[in-house]
Amino acid sequence: MANSSIPGILEKMTGKDKDYRYMATSDLLNELNKEGFKLDNDLELRLSNIVLQQLDDAAGDVSGLAVKCLAPLVKKIHEAQVLEMTDKLCDKLLNGKDQHRDIASIALKTIFSEVPTSSVAQSVLISVSPKLIGGITNPAMKTDIKCECLDILSDILHKFGNLMTSDHEVLLGALLPQLSSNQASVRKKTVSCIASLASSLSDDLLAKATIAVVRLLQNKGTKPEMTRTNIQMIGALSRAVGYRFGPHLGDTVPILIQYCMNASENDEELREYSLQALESFLLRCPRDIFSYCNEILQLTLEYLSYDPNFTDNMEEDTDDEIHDEDDDDDSANEYTDDEDVSWKVRRAAAKCLAALIVSRPEMLSNLYDEACPKLIDRFKEREENVKMDVFNTFIELLRQTGNVTKGQIDIDKLSPRWSLKQEVPKVVKSINRQLREKSIKTKIGAFSVLKELVVVLPDCLADHIGSLIPGIEKALCEKSSTSNLKIEALIFTRLVLASHSPAVFHPYIKAISAPVLSAVGERYYKVTAEALRVCGELVRVVRPNIKVSDFDFKPYVHPIYNAIMSRLTNQDQDQEVKECAISCMGLLVSTFGDHLTADLPACLPVLVDRMGNEITRLTAVKAKQHLALLCLGEIGRRKDLSSHAHIENIVIESFQSPFEEIKSAASYALGNIAVGNLPKYLPFILNQIDNQQKKQYLLLHSLKEVIVRQSVDKAEFQDSSVEKILNLLFNHCESEEEGVRNVVAECLGKIALIKPSKLVPALKERTTSPAAFTRATVVVAVKYSIVERPEKIDSVLYPEISSFLMLIKDQDRHVRRAAVLALSIAGHNKPNLIKSLLPELLPLLYDQTVIKKELIRTVDLGPFKHTVDDGLELRKAAFECVDTLLDNCLDQLNPSSFIVPYLKSGLDDHYDVKMPCHLILSKLADKCPSAVLAVLDSLVDPLQKTVNFKPKQDAVKQEVDRNEDMIRSALRAVASLNRISGGDCSHKFKNLMAEIAKSQSLWEKYCSIRNE
C-alpha cells in the first residue's frame, strides 16, 4: 500500500517557498529510506517527475537533496520509470541549459551506482549508451559536455562493462579517436574511459586497442602532447588488465624506452609517463617483461639522478662527523625553481626501480653492484617527496635481500647479504646526515631505512652505535619533534637493542636511557607504549646476565623502575600502555628484583591486580574477532552483502592481524562473501591479488574459497570469470614463495573439477614449461583434482595423467617431489587411474628413495660445518608414496626388488625417512611375509642401530623426545617381524630379540607396543 504522507510532501515540494521545498524534499528522503516504503503506479510516476523537476531547482540546497533522493528511489520504482528518468537526464545533459548540466551528470552517476539489478542495468544501458557515445563523437558537441559523457561512461564501464560485451567494439571505435582530440581534458577523460572498458575487453579487442595506440606512438609527426597521452594510455591499459597485457610488451617496451631517452630537454612529463608505464609492466607482467629488465634497470639508474637544472658542487662528500650544527639550514638555501618539474622524472625512476627490485629477486646480486651505490648516493635528493621514494626503494632492496637470503649466512662473497654488509658504513654516514636535517619527514624516512637494515642484518650496526645516538637524542628531545618521529626513533632503538650484543651499548647507556625514560612520560599513548617496549629491551641490555656483569647497572635500576611504576599505577590511560607497562614491569622485577627489595611491596600488588583485570580481556577480544569473521563468511555465502558499503575492505583489514587464526578467518570470510555476489567481489579479489604483493597468500586463499564453493555447490562459473582466474593463476605459478604456489595449485585443481576439458589440456601444456616452478605447480594442481568421489574429470585425466606423473624423472627436485605427491594421492583416491602406469613408474619412484650425493652440501659456519640435505623431503615423500601404494596397488608391486636395496637404505637414513620405512616394513611383514623373511638378516643391522641409539649428554629435550619416538617406531617394526619369523628363521634377528629382552627400558617399551 502506498505511503499516505507522500501526496502532502509532493504538494509542498512544488510550492513557491524555498524553505518549504527544502523541508519537504528532506521529508521525502527520510520516507524513501524507510524499509517498508511502497508506491502505487500513479504516485510512482508523479514522484519521479517531481524529483527530476527538483534537480533544476534554483536553490542549490534543494537540488542537492533531490539528487540524494535518487539513490533510494531507483530501488523502489519500476524498470520503465528508471528508464524514463535516465532518458530525460541524458537529454538534459546533451541538450539542456548550461546551469542544469552538472546536476544532470551527478544524477545519472547516482542512478548508475544504485541500479538494483543487472536486468534493469541492461535495459538502461541499451538506451543510454548510444546517447553518451553520440555526445562523445559529435564534432559539434561542446568540450565540457564531451567530458561529462566520458566521465559517466567511465563509471558505467567500470561497473557494468561485462554486461556490454556486444557494444565493446563500437565503444572502442568511438573512444580511440578521442585520444587525438585537441582538447587536453577530453584526452585525459578518454584515457580513464578506455581503461575502464579494457578490464572487460576480450583479448582480441584488447590487442586491437593496444595496436591502435602503438601506431599513434610510432607516428613520428605526432605532437608531443598527443604522445604523452598515448604513453599514459599504455600505462593505464596495463594497470587495468594486469598480466593480460603481457603479450603486448614486445610492441610497447622498446618504444617507451626510446621515447624516454630521446625526449626533448623540457619534456619531463613524457619521461615520467614512460617510466610509470614500465613500472606497471614490471609489477603486472613479471613473466613477459623478463628480457627487458636489464635495459629498464639502466634507464631507471640514469633518471634517478636526472636534475638538469641543478649542479652538485660535491658538498655531499664532506665528512659527516665534523658537521657543524649551523649547517642545518643548508637544505633551506638549496636551489628551488617552481617551474622545474624534473623531480617528477626522478620520482618515477625511483618507483620503477622499486618495482624491478620487488618483482625480480633473481637480479638481486646485479642490483647490489649497480643500483645500491646509486640509491645511497641519492639520499641527498633535494626534493623531499622524491627523497621519500628513494628511501622506500632502498627499503624494498633491503626487504628483498631478507626474503632471498632467509636462512643463509653472509660469509659467501657472492651473497647479497655480504654485499649489503659492505655498504653499511656508507648507509650510516648518509643516514646520519639526513637525521641532522630540519625536515621531520626526512628524519622519519631515515629511521625507516635504519629499521629495515637492522631487520635484515641484525648485528650490522655494532661499530656505528656511537654515531647514531645523537640522531636518536635529537628525535626524542627536540621541541619540534612530532609524535610520529618519536615513535619511529623508538622503534628503531628497540630493534637495535634487541639485535646486537648488550656489550656494544654499555658505553652509551646513559645517553640512550635518558631520552627513552623521558618519552615514557609523554602524553600521547603510542609514544609512551613504544618507549615502554624500549625499556624492556634496555633492561635486558643493562643486565644481560644475572650472575656476572662487567657493567655497573645499579645507577639505572631506580630511574627505569620509577618511570614504569608511574605508568603502571596510572588508572586513566590507554589499554596498550597498560599492557606494555605490565610486561615491562614483570621483566624489570625478574631482572632487578634483588636491587628492588624495598620497592616490591608497593609494586607486586599492583602487578597482580593488573594481570587479573587485563589479560583475560585480551584473549576474549581475539576470540570474538575470530568468531565474527567466520560468521560473516557463512552469512556472505548465503546472502549478498554488497549493500554493506566497503565490507570487503573492512575484512581485508584483518589480514594485518598478528594472529594467524584471525588472518585465516579473514581470508575465509572474504572468499565466502564473494560467493554471495561474484560479479562485484571476484574482480576485486583478482585485482588485489595482482596489486597487493604482501597479502597475496591470504587473497589466494580467498579465491580458493570461491572456487571450492563452485565445485562443491555444482555451480557454473561464467567462462569470462574462469578465463580471468586462470590467467592470474598461471601468472603466479612461478612465485618464489612455496605457500603461494601451493594455493595457486589448489585453485587450479579445484577449477579442473568444474571445467576438466578446459583445464587438463592447459595444465598438460605447461608440463613442458622451461620454468621448474611452473612444472611443479601444474603437477600439484593435478594432485588436488584427484578426489575420492567420482568426478567428470576422471575420464578426461585418465589418458593424460602419464604426462604429469612422468615428471618424476624431471631434472628439478621440486618437480620430482610434486610428481611423487601426485602419484601418492592418485594411489590413495583413484588407484585405477595409475595402475597401468606402475610398471614404468615404480623403478622411477624407487630411485627417488636413494640418497643423492649431489643434493648434499656443506655450509661453513666458521667454528663448525653444517650438512644440508636438499634431497631429504623428496626421499621422505617417495617412501610415503610406496606406503600408500602398498594399501591399494599391492598387486602391481614386486616387494623383493624394493626391500633390498631401497627399504634397507631407508631404514638407515635420516629420522624423517626412517619413520615411514618402519611403517612400510610392518605392512610388508603383514602382507608379503615370505618376501620379508627371505632378506630378514640384512634388515636387522639398521634396526639394531636405531633401537640402541643414545642422544648426546647435552641434547635438548626436543632431541631426546624425537629419539624416544624413533625407538618406539623401530620396535613396532620389530614386533611385526617377530610375529612372522617363527622358530629359527634368522640367527641375527634372534640375537636382536635377545638383546631387547635384556634391556629393561627397551623390553618395557616393546611389551607395551606389542599389546597395543
Side-chain angles (χ1 to χ4, degrees):
M1 188 172 149
N3 192 306
S4 56
S5 61
I6 293 296
I9 291 173
L10 295 181
E11 201 171 316
K12 288 177 184 170
M13 281 174 75
T14 51
K16 288 182 180 176
D17 189 310
K18 181 190 82 158
D19 292 337
Y20 265 42
R21 294 200 305 277
Y22 178 83
M23 294 298 290
T25 311
S26 177
D27 290 343
L28 176 65
L29 182 59
N30 290 334
E31 291 297 324
L32 286 168
N33 279 318
K34 286 179 180 171
E35 198 135 327
F37 182 87
K38 282 187 182 152
L39 289 165
D40 58 35
N41 289 350
D42 290 345
L43 205 51
E44 186 182 301
L45 178 65
R46 192 173 159 219
L47 193 153
S48 303
N49 286 333
I50 289 175
V51 169
L52 279 182
Q53 187 183 314
Q54 293 290 87
L55 292 172
D56 297 339
D57 197 296
D61 50 358
V62 176
S63 61
L65 269 181
V67 170
K68 287 184 181 174
C69 287
L70 285 172
L73 181 62
V74 168
K75 295 171 189 161
K76 312 270 165 116
I77 58 178
H78 290 95
E79 187 177 309
Q81 205 55 54
V82 178
L83 204 55
E84 192 180 325
M85 286 174 82
T86 50
D87 281 348
K88 284 180 179 173
L89 287 166
C90 264
D91 186 54
K92 201 173 281 191
L93 174 70
L94 297 169
N95 308 311
K97 295 175 182 174
D98 286 358
Q99 65 265 36
H100 297 154
R101 195 174 298 127
D102 282 354
I103 203 83
S105 174
I106 296 166
L108 278 168
K109 288 177 187 173
T110 303
I111 290 173
F112 277 111
S113 70
E114 300 294 338
V115 169
T117 65
S118 55
S119 64
V120 174
Q122 194 103 46
S123 304
V124 175
L125 290 169
I126 290 166
S127 167
V128 168
S129 296
K131 294 185 173 75
L132 292 174
I133 292 171
I136 293 164
T137 54
N138 182 350
M141 196 60 76
K142 288 181 179 175
T143 299
D144 53 351
I145 299 178
K146 271 193 180 188
C147 287
E148 291 291 358
C149 290
L150 284 163
D151 240 356
I152 296 164
L153 188 58
S154 185
D155 281 4
I156 291 171
L157 289 168
H158 191 71
K159 190 170 182 187
F160 301 112
N162 289 323
L163 299 178
M164 303 170 74
T165 42
S166 56
D167 294 336
H168 281 180
E169 196 153 8
V170 175
L171 285 161
L172 203 55
L175 291 170
L176 284 170
Q178 305 308 313
L179 290 172
S180 304
S181 164
N182 288 324
Q183 300 297 324
S185 55
V186 171
R187 294 198 304 275
K188 187 179 177 183
K189 301 275 185 191
T190 302
V191 168
S192 300
C193 204
I194 294 176
S196 294
L197 171 63
S199 55
S200 55
L201 283 180
S202 67
D203 286 346
D204 287 348
L205 285 176
L206 176 60
K208 184 180 174 181
T210 309
I211 289 162
V213 180
V214 168
R215 278 204 192 115
L216 290 170
L217 283 171
Q218 286 169 335
N219 182 352
K220 300 292 180 197
T222 313
K223 292 177 184 171
E225 60 269 27
M226 302 295 183
T227 302
R228 287 197 288 271
T229 297
N230 292 321
I231 289 174
Q232 273 187 304
M233 188 69 256
I234 292 287
L237 281 173
S238 156
R239 285 185 285 277
V241 303
Y243 52 86
R244 290 177 60 211
F245 199 80
H248 307 291
L249 296 187
D251 294 330
T252 50
V253 175
I255 293 179
L256 293 179
I257 292 175
Q258 197 183 343
Y259 267 114
C260 210
M261 301 293 287
N262 301 335
S264 67
E265 192 174 312
N266 300 325
D267 205 343
E268 319 299 20
E269 283 190 333
L270 195 146
R271 290 190 175 91
E272 180 193 11
Y273 298 156
S274 299
L275 287 162
Q276 284 171 343
L278 293 170
E279 176 199 356
S280 176
F281 298 161
L282 285 163
L283 292 172
R284 292 168 178 81
C285 314
R287 189 176 51 204
D288 301 289
I289 195 78
F290 176 73
S291 56
Y292 301 104
C293 286
N294 278 321
E295 248 183 297
I296 294 172
L297 174 59
Q298 299 311 319
L299 193 73
T300 58
L301 293 178
E302 181 177 341
Y303 287 107
L304 194 64
S305 53
Y306 175 77
D307 204 350
N309 300 316
F310 179 70
T311 309
D312 186 354
N313 295 326
M314 308 303 287
E315 290 167 359
E316 298 294 336
D317 292 336
T318 55
D319 190 344
D320 278 2
E321 307 308 324
I322 56 166
H323 186 283
D324 194 327
E325 285 299 320
D326 294 339
D327 288 354
D328 265 353
D329 288 332
D330 276 2
S331 55
N333 299 329
E334 279 182 353
Y335 164 86
T336 54
D337 177 359
D338 293 341
E339 291 178 15
D340 175 22
V341 288
S342 63
W343 63 270
K344 290 184 176 181
V345 178
R346 299 195 299 279
R347 181 182 63 181
K351 288 185 170 179
C352 189
L353 179 56
L356 189 73
I357 292 165
V358 167
S359 61
R360 308 262 41 125
E362 76 281 1
M363 288 180 70
L364 201 52
S365 295
N366 189 17
L367 286 164
Y368 267 103
D369 292 342
E370 300 194 38
C372 184
K374 198 81 182 255
L375 276 169
I376 297 168
D377 180 58
R378 288 312 301 168
F379 287 176
K380 67 187 180 191
E381 167 65 50
R382 62 191 175 84
E383 190 70 40
E384 190 169 61
N385 288 334
V386 182
K387 187 182 285 192
M388 292 305 109
D389 285 312
V390 171
F391 283 160
N392 290 336
T393 303
F394 190 72
I395 286 169
E396 292 297 357
L397 182 67
L398 295 174
R399 282 183 187 151
Q400 191 68 287
T401 308
N403 295 340
V404 169
T405 60
K406 210 168 271 175
Q408 281 184 18
I409 43 164
D410 48 22
I411 293 162
D412 178 7
K413 290 195 176 184
L414 297 172
S415 161
R417 203 175 273 258
W418 188 87
S419 304
L420 174 58
K421 210 162 192 177
Q422 311 316 302
E423 300 289 347
V424 167
K426 286 185 204 162
V427 174
V428 173
K429 184 178 177 182
S430 194
I431 286 292
N432 275 332
R433 177 176 281 275
Q434 302 308 315
L435 289 174
R436 283 195 290 268
E437 292 277 341
K438 280 200 166 173
S439 160
I440 298 293
K441 200 173 174 183
T442 292
K443 287 192 265 202
I444 290 175
F447 277 121
S448 300
V449 171
L450 288 173
K451 268 170 25 186
E452 203 62 43
L453 185 63
V454 172
V455 170
V456 177
L457 281 183
D459 58 350
C460 69
L461 296 177
D463 300 334
H464 307 282
I465 301 299
S467 73
L468 288 164
I469 282 174
I472 297 170
E473 280 184 301
K474 278 185 84 171
L476 294 177
C477 301
E478 280 190 349
K479 284 183 179 175
S480 60
S481 292
T482 62
S483 297
N484 283 348
L485 175 58
K486 289 177 182 177
I487 290 167
E488 287 298 307
L490 287 164
I491 293 173
F492 166 66
T493 308
R494 173 168 58 82
L495 289 171
V496 86
L497 287 168
S499 59
H500 288 68
S501 160
V504 169
F505 302 100
H506 288 166
Y508 311 106
I509 292 294
K510 191 173 182 183
I512 295 173
S513 62
V516 170
L517 294 179
S518 165
V520 170
E522 281 271 342
R523 289 175 63 183
Y524 183 46
Y525 75 96
K526 282 192 180 293
V527 175
T528 306
E530 204 46 66
L532 285 165
R533 291 188 189 102
V534 178
C535 281
E537 293 301 337
L538 205 54
V539 167
R540 289 191 187 94
V541 165
V542 167
R543 194 181 192 185
N545 190 326
I546 302 293
K547 292 174 184 165
V548 238
S549 182
D550 302 328
F551 175 70
D552 182 15
F553 59 84
K554 298 181 197 69
Y556 303 102
V557 175
H558 277 92
I560 298 175
Y561 171 82
N562 292 334
I564 298 168
M565 191 63 180
S566 69
R567 281 303 180 181
L568 192 67
T569 52
N570 190 340
Q571 296 290 337
D572 180 26
Q573 59 192 359
D574 183 82
Q575 174 80 5
E576 190 182 351
V577 174
K578 288 179 186 174
E579 288 167 13
C580 290
I582 290 167
S583 54
C584 199
M585 186 58 90
L587 188 64
L588 187 83
V589 169
S590 66
T591 309
F592 298 135
D594 53 342
H595 290 267
L596 289 168
T597 324
D599 306 279
L600 291 180
C603 163
L604 291 178
V606 180
L607 206 52
V608 170
D609 176 61
R610 291 288 177 274
M611 293 287 275
N613 289 342
E614 307 300 341
I615 302 305
T616 47
R617 191 185 306 165
L618 260 179
T619 315
V621 168
K622 183 176 148 191
K624 212 167 175 181
Q625 190 183 0
H626 187 241
L627 192 62
L629 285 162
L630 294 177
C631 292
L632 203 55
E634 290 300 319
I635 296 165
R637 179 153 56 87
R638 295 167 174 82
K639 186 181 187 314
D640 179 4
L641 296 178
S642 58
S643 57
H644 298 271
H646 309 305
I647 191 167
E648 65 276 24
N649 293 322
I650 293 163
V651 171
I652 272 189
E653 279 173 19
S654 294
F655 282 13
Q656 312 285 358
S657 169
F659 305 110
E660 285 306 315
E661 62 267 46
I662 299 291
K663 288 196 251 194
S664 172
S667 174
Y668 171 85
L670 182 62
N672 279 283
I673 288 168
V675 171
N677 185 342
L678 281 178
K680 178 175 171 67
Y681 295 121
L682 183 60
F684 171 80
I685 292 176
L686 297 180
N687 179 47
Q688 290 281 308
I689 290 171
D690 254 354
N691 294 314
Q692 296 287 334
Q693 207 90 23
K694 289 169 187 167
K695 298 174 185 169
Q696 216 170 60
Y697 178 72
L698 292 167
L699 288 159
L700 282 163
H701 268 289
S702 299
L703 179 60
K704 183 192 79 182
E705 283 297 331
V706 174
I707 296 163
V708 167
R709 277 290 134 216
Q710 299 295 310
S711 59
V712 170
D713 299 344
K714 304 289 182 203
E716 281 290 322
F717 264 146
Q718 287 185 341
D719 283 349
S720 60
S721 298
V722 173
E723 206 60 53
K724 284 177 186 171
I725 293 171
L726 288 183
N727 284 334
L728 180 138
L729 291 173
F730 284 134
N731 203 41
H732 285 89
C733 280
E734 291 171 44
S735 169
E736 288 296 311
E737 293 201 29
E738 188 178 359
V740 169
R741 294 198 305 275
N742 208 33
V743 192
V744 166
E746 191 172 355
C747 290
L748 287 168
K750 298 306 177 192
I751 297 178
L753 291 171
I754 309 169
K755 304 261 182 189
S757 52
K758 184 178 182 66
L759 261 286
V760 173
L763 293 170
K764 182 185 173 183
E765 180 189 326
R766 286 167 175 83
T767 57
T768 56
S769 164
F773 281 162
T774 295
R775 299 196 299 277
T777 304
V778 295
V779 180
V780 178
V782 167
K783 180 193 89 170
Y784 281 117
S785 72
I786 303 170
V787 292
E788 282 187 284
R789 60 186 183 275
E791 290 284 355
K792 57 184 177 181
I793 191 174
D794 300 351
S795 57
V796 182
L797 191 55
Y798 182 79
E800 305 293 355
I801 195 162
S802 67
S803 305
F804 300 96
L805 297 182
M806 283 303 166
L807 288 175
I808 198 169
K809 50 187 179 185
D810 194 283
Q811 71 218 26
D812 185 275
R813 64 187 163 88
H814 298 97
V815 181
R816 296 201 298 277
R817 182 167 174 263
V820 167
L821 294 172
L823 176 59
S824 192
I825 289 289
H828 184 273
N829 292 343
K830 300 257 171 72
N832 291 333
L833 275 178
I834 56 156
K835 276 194 174 176
S836 61
L837 301 172
L838 286 178
E840 192 180 353
L841 281 170
L842 284 173
L844 299 168
L845 174 64
Y846 296 161
D847 187 51
Q848 305 312 311
T849 67
V850 178
I851 295 172
K852 303 267 198 310
K853 286 183 180 168
E854 66 267 25
L855 292 177
I856 296 173
R857 54 195 167 91
T858 303
V859 181
D860 192 343
L861 294 170
F864 57 91
K865 289 185 167 67
H866 176 59
T867 302
V868 179
D869 184 349
D870 290 327
L872 176 62
E873 285 300 313
L874 178 53
R875 297 200 303 282
K876 181 187 173 196
F879 277 115
E880 285 170 346
C881 182
V882 172
D883 183 44
T884 301
L885 295 174
L886 280 173
D887 289 334
N888 296 333
C889 305
L890 185 60
D891 54 333
Q892 299 293 317
L893 274 72
N894 177 0
S896 301
S897 63
F898 168 69
I899 296 171
V900 177
Y902 303 107
L903 182 62
K904 181 188 170 190
S905 163
L907 289 167
D908 206 13
D909 201 322
H910 184 274
Y911 170 98
D912 288 344
V913 174
K914 282 184 188 177
M915 297 288 263
C917 286
H918 294 151
L919 283 172
I920 290 169
L921 184 53
S922 299
K923 220 169 257 187
L924 283 169
D926 186 36
K927 293 175 187 262
C928 319
S930 56
V932 175
L933 289 172
V935 289
L936 186 53
D937 264 7
S938 64
L939 303 178
V940 171
D941 285 347
L943 288 169
Q944 193 163 19
K945 198 169 153 187
T946 300
V947 297
N948 289 325
F949 184 80
K950 301 268 189 302
K952 292 176 188 171
Q953 288 258 302
D954 59 348
V956 294
K957 185 177 184 298
Q958 190 184 6
E959 288 176 278
V960 174
D961 290 348
R962 269 167 66 108
N963 192 58
E964 280 298 294
D965 290 343
M966 177 63 68
I967 292 169
R968 294 181 72 84
S969 169
L971 288 172
R972 272 192 194 89
V974 169
S976 300
L977 293 171
N978 197 39
R979 277 197 295 273
I980 64 164
S981 65
D984 304 313
C985 198
S986 158
H987 182 64
K988 281 182 100 169
F989 185 73
K990 270 169 74 174
N991 286 345
L992 172 63
M993 287 305 300
E995 197 181 307
I996 290 169
K998 279 181 193 167
S999 159
Q1000 189 184 346
S1001 68
L1002 283 177
W1003 185 248
E1004 282 175 7
K1005 285 180 191 127
Y1006 177 82
C1007 291
S1008 75
I1009 284 163
R1010 190 182 56 189
N1011 298 329
E1012 277 175 355

